[in-house]
Amino acid sequence: MQEKIQKLKVGMLADLKVALSEQTIKEVEVKYFGRQGLFNEIMKTLKDLSDEEKRTVGKLANETKKELESASQKRYQELEHEKLGSIADDEWIDVTVPGKKPTVGHRHLLSKFIDDVEALFAKMGFVLGEGPEVEKEFYNFDQLNIPEDHPARDMHDTFWIKNLEKYVLRTHTSPVQIHHMEKTEPPVRVISLGKTFRKDSDATHSPMFHQLEGLMVDENISMANLKSVMTHFFQQIFEDPTIKTRFRISYFPFVEPGMEVDCTCPICHGSGKLPDNVPCRLCKQCGWLEIAGAGMVHPQVLENVGYDSEKYTGFAFGMGLERMVMIKYRINHMRLFFENDLRFINQF
Ligand code: DAH
């Protein structure tokens, strides 16, 4: 019996020695001291011994059990130490290695262009006006002299807001003219830059696009003022001091007379030809680009906001921003602006 206990002790110590995880130590403990364990096996035979023997063997068994319990506690501690000791090897960091550079983005080409336009007009005394993108029909059409039954409404492929009667996604930035004049007395010099929406989509049209709108109202404002502002603007924004503008008569309900504004092609400088007699494809060799709508503010529009149309006159203009950016940077498809492909975006 004593021999058996001695053997058990040797066996458990050997098992503990090779136990490399807490889990295996626990398994060793169960193997020897669990209810079905080897220790209990031996103890079951204790009853067959004489009283004298029971005492000696019992004592030995108790001592051995204690000894073995502390041996397994010791093994737990050893393992813990080993782990801490290896942390230095496993988890070290070299604090002198240079850090990873975060990728720094930049403003989108269109946003930069919008800022440039705003800065340019600020120099000419124009403030930035504002209006909502979800606009009342009243501002988008009625106040701009486009009544409900007017065919000019068909020129705008309008998104109507479902369940919100008489609201649209603004089809142009012209309603900002009205918002601004409602809040301001003449003289007025205001521009608006922002998103507009129409049911339209191809290489040069997108359902969402940006417009620039301008308005100047004061006593004695004439088409000469319009022409000089337009010309200066195109010369500055296309960085070409040779640019000229011309007006062609056209129709917009909120101006009278209304016109299309053309500027000389900034690529071929109005000649229709590139060096080596290569034909200019942008202006289709005509030397001019149709770029904006404009006109003298219709007296009815001035009266709609309570201005005295006998005393005041004004000009207004509007144009698509993407088109200008496409011309300036030779971009051939509208969708490039909105896809956010870094190969495109990082070129600018
Ligand atoms: N709002 C017009 C459009 O989107 C553009 C326009 C034409 C604006 C003439 C004007 C203007 O201010 O005078 O088609």
Side-chain angles (χ1 to χ4, degrees):
M1 187 105 181
Q2 272 145 318
E3 219 170 88
K4 275 191 188 165
I5 295 177
Q6 190 56 35
K7 245 190 180 162
L8 178 141
K9 179 176 162 183
V10 174
M12 181 158 171
L13 288 176
D15 283 353
L16 282 176
K17 210 170 191 175
V18 295
L20 293 176
S21 70
E22 290 186 6
Q23 179 60 28
T24 12
I25 301 178
K26 265 190 203 118
E27 281 163 17
V28 172
E29 286 171 336
V30 171
K31 177 176 164 192
Y32 290 90
F33 294 124
R35 209 173 318 152
Q36 323 273 7
L38 296 176
F39 191 76
N40 273 353
E41 265 326 73
I42 298 173
M43 295 311 271
K44 269 183 215 157
T45 56
L46 204 63
K47 61 181 189 312
D48 305 328
L49 302 179
S50 70
D51 281 358
E52 174 70 34
E53 280 173 321
K54 265 187 203 153
R55 230 174 285 131
T56 15
V57 176
K59 197 172 166 225
L60 176 67
N62 275 339
E63 282 169 6
T64 311
K65 194 173 180 194
K66 260 196 206 141
E67 220 177 289
L68 288 172
E69 273 167 0
S70 72
S72 88
Q73 283 314 309
K74 210 173 128 207
R75 188 65 191 132
Y76 278 121
Q77 284 167 7
E78 276 170 13
L79 271 189
E80 187 66 22
H81 276 125
E82 277 168 26
K83 206 157 86 187
L84 289 176
S86 65
I87 275 185
D89 287 330
D90 297 342
E91 299 181 21
W92 66 277
I93 50 167
D94 181 352
V95 292
T96 64
V97 172
K100 277 190 197 145
K101 267 206 181 139
T103 40
V104 178
H106 62 79
R107 286 164 67 63
H108 190 277
L109 172 62
L110 253 177
S111 309
K112 284 198 268 193
F113 191 79
I114 285 173
D115 284 354
D116 290 349
V117 171
E118 187 188 338
L120 244 167
F121 276 100
K123 281 191 196 161
M124 292 190 268
F126 286 75
V127 297
L128 191 63
E130 276 180 2
E133 287 168 12
V134 177
E135 182 59 281
K136 285 189 175 130
E137 180 186 10
F138 178 72
Y139 286 100
N140 196 81
F141 293 124
D142 302 65
Q143 284 294 76
L144 288 164
N145 212 21
I146 319 175
E148 198 173 340
D149 53 2
H150 199 285
R153 281 207 186 188
D154 301 341
M155 287 159 54
H156 299 225
D157 301 300
T158 312
F159 287 112
W160 292 85
I161 304 284
K162 216 173 160 184
N163 301 332
L164 196 58
E165 224 183 305
K166 295 187 175 301
Y167 277 86
V168 299
L169 291 183
R170 66 177 179 193
T171 57
H172 50 175
T173 42
S174 303
V176 178
Q177 293 183 27
I178 308 295
H179 286 296
H180 189 80
M181 286 191 286
E182 277 183 347
K183 290 184 294 210
T184 324
E185 285 301 313
V188 162
R189 284 185 199 190
V190 64
I191 57 160
S192 167
L193 286 155
K195 291 187 173 65
T196 48
F197 307 84
R198 285 186 205 182
K199 289 186 214 160
D200 220 347
S201 186
D202 58 35
T204 53
H205 296 86
S206 144
M208 188 280 291
F209 59 106
H210 295 76
Q211 278 194 346
L212 158 67
E213 186 84 20
L215 172 73
M216 186 163 175
V217 180
D218 200 350
E219 292 178 41
N220 301 317
I221 297 294
S222 74
M223 278 176 51
N225 300 110
L226 171 61
K227 181 139 180 151
S228 74
V229 168
M230 292 278 85
T231 309
H232 180 70
F233 171 58
F234 294 132
Q235 289 180 351
Q236 293 292 314
I237 206 74
F238 290 129
E239 296 168 48
D240 176 359
T242 68
I243 284 181
K244 294 184 181 58
T245 50
R246 73 178 183 189
F247 295 156
R248 279 176 298 112
I249 201 75
S250 183
Y251 173 71
F252 299 100
F254 34 91
V255 282
E256 180 58 38
M259 53 215 113
E260 305 276 354
V261 182
D262 298 343
C263 70
T264 43
C265 176
I267 307 295
C268 64
H269 307 289
S271 70
K273 288 196 189 87
L274 300 174
D276 296 330
N277 257 353
V278 176
C280 179
R281 282 203 297 168
L282 182 65
C283 64
K284 304 203 179 72
Q285 300 179 62
C286 83
W288 293 93
L289 292 175
E290 185 181 316
I291 196 124
M296 299 306 292
V297 183
H298 197 293
Q300 186 60 53
V301 172
L302 296 175
E303 294 294 332
N304 286 348
V305 295
Y307 284 9
D308 180 353
S309 64
E310 294 291 327
K311 187 171 174 197
Y312 296 110
T313 50
F315 67 74
F317 58 86
M319 65 198 88
L321 285 176
E322 281 84 356
R323 175 159 157 74
M324 296 178 68
V325 179
M326 286 168 91
I327 293 169
K328 182 165 177 179
Y329 297 99
R330 329 259 169 114
I331 293 163
N332 61 8
H333 206 294
M334 192 79 166
R335 104 184 137 228
L336 289 164
F337 287 118
F338 309 117
E339 277 177 342
N340 289 335
D341 186 331
L342 290 178
R343 289 169 300 181
F344 171 76
I345 287 182
N346 286 339
Q347 289 179 45
F348 307 100

